[in-house]
Amino acid sequence: MEGVAVQGNGGGRSMKVVAELGRVLELVRQLEMHMHAASQSSSSVELCRGLVAQIIALTDRSIGMVMSSSAAAAAVAHFADAPPALLSGTPSPLSDVSDQTFRTNPKKRKTTARWTSHERVSATGGTEGPVDDGHSWRKYGQKDILGAKHPRGYYRCTHRNSQGCTATKQVQRTDDDPSVFDVVYHGEHTCRPAAIPAAKRPHAQTLLQSLSAGLTVSTDNNFLTTAVSTVPRTPENRQAAAQSVSPPLASPVASDSYGLVPSPCPVTAGYRDWPYTGDLQEVVSALTTAPAEPEPAIDPDFMPYYFEFDPTFGMDQAILFP
DNA sequence: ATGATTTGACCGCC
DNA sequence: GGCGGTCAAATCAT
């Protein structure tokens, strides 16, 4: 089963790239907001880490998609610098990422129809392995590579069997700096992230608090992404939320409600096994009045989620991302 | 018990 | 035949 976006037509894929980059933008904006709070709360620091991981993964995917559409070398060179620049606060020599294989030998990569991307990332903290890219991988092999000091690890998406996701990646320590890894991605993720386990879910009221704290929505014809950030309900944050939506709102989101939603906007929101269907406004209304579930131990002030709706996978279901 | 990792075997391609 | 990629049995971790 080949993924939808893998099919040759550039149209669908470019739409997806635009959608993905839109989400990157949303995440960066959230990150910016949370970084202000980060000095006061360690949970915000964790939150920022999570956002960074998502940003890296999304950006990487987008780069890979662009790479595979042959006409975009210049754009690639420009965008390829983004992930490592976001990786750490301090600029590092690692920042110049580019697909070296692609550059030095452009023809070698053309064999497969699937897209690839090449990234150079530093190790996390003191631990082994490169930074988390936001996907779950399962190692299926390791090889010593001729002329390389370190072996190459082979990974495939954890959801290969359950969802037929064919994405793979190869990870190899660089010769010169063992704390730096070359990561080559093959194929595109067609899997969906798992729903949040029941024990970890917030109840509806908490979710609504998230919605009212800050909400960004971007839409295009094919893709609707609703990003929910739980930031303190300050006027500044509301202003930021109002400006981050597309199109921007003239005024900040009012009180505990929010505006925006190109109407009618039929969606199903909520959890995989706890859906609400209707116009987005109705969905929020449903969340408001939903019966309370046993309250898990969470901090409602710093609990980020976003919904994703993708017609490719059907609009009957939305996934709630932590 | 289940799922992930390790590691030598296997296979296709140059 | 050698190399890189994948398979799968054994092993490890939870």
Side-chain angles (χ1 to χ4, degrees):
Chain A
M1 141 199 300
E2 296 301 315
V4 188
V6 176
Q7 292 189 351
N9 63 351
R13 179 158 53 204
S14 62
M15 289 294 286
K16 268 205 123 167
V17 172
V18 169
E20 298 253 297
L21 290 176
R23 276 173 55 192
V24 169
L25 201 56
E26 290 168 6
L27 290 168
V28 171
R29 282 174 173 143
Q30 289 181 51
L31 186 60
E32 188 182 25
M33 288 194 279
H34 284 296
M35 281 172 78
H36 289 122
S39 54
Q40 303 152 23
S41 157
S42 63
S43 60
S44 268
V45 174
E46 284 308 308
L47 201 152
C48 289
R49 284 211 183 94
L51 289 171
V52 166
Q54 289 178 46
I55 290 164
I56 291 169
L58 279 167
T59 308
D60 174 62
R61 262 156 52 192
S62 302
I63 290 167
M65 292 181 201
V66 173
M67 286 270 229
S68 65
S69 70
S70 50
V76 169
H78 177 259
F79 280 111
D81 283 354
L86 291 163
L87 249 178
S88 65
T90 60
S92 81
L94 308 178
S95 291
D96 84 330
V97 202
S98 53
D99 189 333
Q100 291 146 348
T101 330
F102 189 78
R103 264 190 192 164
T104 55
N105 197 350
K107 280 179 184 164
K108 197 148 197 177
R109 278 294 170 86
K110 246 197 108 207
T111 42
T112 52
R114 306 190 309 172
W115 58 270
T116 67
S117 76
H118 187 173
E119 200 169 297
R120 184 163 284 207
V121 299
S122 60
T124 50
T127 60
E128 300 290 303
V131 292
D132 183 9
D133 61 12
H135 282 103
S136 61
W137 300 96
R138 177 174 179 151
K139 191 172 186 177
Y140 66 89
Q142 177 166 306
K143 274 302 254 195
D144 287 322
I145 300 301
L146 198 71
K149 289 181 187 167
H150 305 103
R152 179 178 298 164
Y154 298 86
Y155 298 80
R156 63 169 58 108
C157 178
T158 304
H159 309 108
R160 181 191 181 92
N161 294 329
S162 57
Q163 299 181 42
C165 181
T166 58
T168 64
K169 74 169 176 179
Q170 302 176 355
V171 178
Q172 185 173 10
R173 239 176 246 278
T174 56
D175 288 344
D176 28 304
D177 186 348
S179 69
V180 177
F181 294 81
D182 275 330
V183 183
V184 180
Y185 293 88
H186 295 271
E188 185 181 356
H189 279 279
T190 57
C191 58
R192 313 259 61 197
I196 294 176
K200 286 187 151 186
R201 277 187 222 144
H203 78 53
Q205 193 59 41
T206 303
L207 185 59
L208 183 76
Q209 287 171 1
S210 302
L211 283 167
S212 57
L215 173 72
T216 65
V217 177
S218 67
T219 61
D220 60 42
N221 292 337
N222 263 340
F223 202 95
L224 169 69
T225 300
T226 305
V228 178
S229 64
T230 56
V231 295
R233 301 185 201 182
T234 63
E236 296 77 33
N237 288 338
R238 289 212 173 85
Q239 181 71 48
Q243 288 173 354
S244 66
V245 300
S246 174
L249 298 177
S251 57
V253 178
S255 68
D256 283 341
S257 65
Y258 66 98
L260 164 80
V261 181
S263 208
C265 181
V267 296
T268 298
Y271 310 109
R272 177 172 288 179
D273 55 349
W274 184 32
Y276 297 94
T277 305
D279 189 275
L280 194 48
Q281 295 279 13
E282 297 169 5
V283 167
V284 173
S285 170
L287 290 171
T288 320
T289 57
E293 286 193 342
E295 179 68 60
I298 56 170
D299 179 353
D301 287 332
F302 297 100
M303 204 64 183
Y305 299 96
Y306 61 92
F307 296 124
E308 182 175 295
F309 309 89
D310 186 344
T312 307
F313 301 97
M315 288 296 282
D316 59 339
Q317 200 170 70
I319 307 302
L320 183 64
F321 292 77

